[in-house]
Amino acid sequence: MSQLRFTTLVDAPLTVAFDVARALGRPWARPLTEVVSQRPWRDEYRASHGGGRLVHTRTFQATAAGTLVHEQVDGLPRGRRRVARAMAAHLDGYAAAAARRALDVTQVVGAALVDDRRRVLVAQRGTGGLAGLWEFPGGKVERGESDLSALVRECREELGVAIAPGSFLGEVPLDGVVAGGAPGASTLRVWSGRVTDGELVAHEHSELRWLGAEELEALDWIPADRPLLPAVRALLARP
């Protein structure tokens, strides 16, 4: 028995990378049965293969450049080179298909802006169904914009300041519809950052606050931002 591993960087959010991978399947002659599906983080398929057991596992990892897809194939009794060639061709087509699909999905970006006192800026929604809840500032990525360009623009429009984006903090799937797209297709991608120019003004929020790591948990957060709190607390703990 043998094992093969593959890693593919896909220029698409987690949700798109997962859905396209599932739609395209795997390049095996025999049908596979899905035994694990944890959208958009992991899936696993199995099939009988020459008296043994073929197991194909994929995990999806959010990065600043897109989704990193790790694939592992276990239980190959023969044909290792043939399988490797088939997978390479399959993954090239998969990456291209996911990148095309991503063009039709409106993404959301957010900024965890940190000041010199190791505090992060939080903003309270003033209108809409989430009024009164707290979030990290940001907004939708426009067609033709990069994530970071959108982040800079949104902070200028919402807060009246120029920012310098920093490290990528994480990605969270959004349950609802964004900009008329398919439900659950978009994600929130968040970066750290700092204010480089201007004075903060709450153009679109009811309140802005600078808070320390120990103060974040007590706020009533919008559902998409709360999963990012561990990454933000770790950011604030850095020397």
Side-chain angles (χ1 to χ4, degrees):
M1 296 294 183
S2 62
Q3 180 184 91
L4 289 174
R5 294 183 179 181
F6 306 87
T7 299
T8 308
L9 180 62
V10 180
D11 186 13
L14 282 166
T15 48
V16 171
F18 184 94
D19 291 345
V20 172
R22 186 173 185 181
L24 293 179
R26 273 92 160 166
W28 310 121
R30 302 185 67 176
L32 300 175
T33 300
E34 183 180 75
V35 295
V36 175
S37 181
Q38 298 171 338
R39 181 182 187 268
W41 311 107
R42 179 176 181 267
D43 68 7
E44 181 179 310
Y45 284 70
R46 298 189 179 195
S48 297
H49 187 86
R53 201 72 182 161
L54 176 68
V55 180
H56 190 156
T57 303
R58 289 184 296 216
T59 58
F60 300 79
Q61 176 188 354
T63 74
T67 300
L68 203 59
V69 185
H70 303 280
E71 309 209 26
Q72 182 171 309
V73 184
D74 293 286
L76 294 169
R78 57 184 178 273
R80 180 185 177 94
R81 291 183 180 179
R82 176 181 55 79
V83 170
R85 289 194 299 269
M87 278 295 297
H90 173 78
L91 292 176
D92 286 344
Y94 159 58
R100 288 193 299 270
R101 178 79 62 84
L103 296 176
D104 297 325
V105 175
T106 300
Q107 280 300 108
V108 180
V109 292
L113 301 175
V114 178
D115 68 4
D116 292 338
R117 296 171 56 185
R118 309 309 297 171
R119 301 177 301 175
V120 66
L121 184 71
V122 298
Q124 187 178 46
R125 288 273 185 101
T127 59
L130 298 177
L133 302 186
W134 293 84
E135 66 181 356
F136 300 111
K140 299 181 186 68
V141 180
E142 296 179 354
R143 181 170 284 274
E145 245 185 344
S146 69
D147 287 356
L148 293 184
S149 293
L151 194 64
V152 171
R153 174 185 54 76
E154 286 287 345
C155 287
R156 182 176 64 250
E157 294 173 357
E158 288 188 2
L159 307 173
V161 295
I163 70 159
S167 58
F168 178 72
L169 297 182
E171 182 171 357
V172 178
L174 300 176
D175 292 333
V177 172
V178 177
S186 301
T187 65
L188 168 66
R189 291 167 55 80
V190 174
W191 278 261
S192 69
R194 59 185 179 86
V195 176
T196 59
D197 189 49
E199 295 293 328
L200 287 169
V201 179
H203 290 298
E204 299 183 16
H205 294 91
S206 60
E207 185 180 353
L208 302 174
R209 294 183 189 174
W210 290 102
L211 298 181
E214 70 284 355
E215 301 173 281
L216 298 177
E217 190 64 36
L219 294 182
D220 196 3
W221 289 91
I222 67 172
D225 282 37
R226 178 167 284 280
L228 294 159
L229 293 186
V232 173
R233 284 194 289 267
L235 170 70
L236 297 178
R238 296 176 190 171

